[in-house]
């Protein structure tokens, strides 16, 4: 997919379920978030 197509067709999904999220999945998301760029790399 090209960047321009990705940006133009991007959609936010705000439809959630009551299904619980595993502790392992939360840990993985938090660990990956540490690698995401942020303002002033903080």
């Amino acid at each position: 997919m090209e960047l321009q197509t990705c940006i133009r067709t991007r959609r936010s999904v705000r439809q959630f379920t009551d299904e619980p999220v595993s502790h392992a999945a939360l840990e993985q998301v938090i660990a990956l978030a540490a690698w995401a760029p942020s303002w002033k790399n903080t």
Side-chain angles (χ1 to χ4, degrees), residues 1-11:
M1 179 182 296
E2 292 192 27
L3 179 60
Q4 186 174 16
T5 304
C6 183
I7 291 170
R8 287 184 175 181
T9 59
R10 176 185 164 280
R11 298 289 178 260

Side-chain angles (χ1 to χ4, degrees), residues 2-41:
E2 292 192 27
L3 179 60
Q4 186 174 16
T5 304
C6 183
I7 291 170
R8 287 184 175 181
T9 59
R10 176 185 164 280
R11 298 289 178 260
S12 294
V13 177
R14 290 182 176 84
Q15 188 174 18
F16 304 101
T17 66
D18 290 334
E19 185 179 338
V21 178
S22 72
H23 188 73
L26 288 175
E27 285 183 344
Q28 184 178 18
V29 168
I30 292 169
L32 292 171
W35 288 93
S38 64
W39 182 75
K40 292 181 78 174
N41 289 326

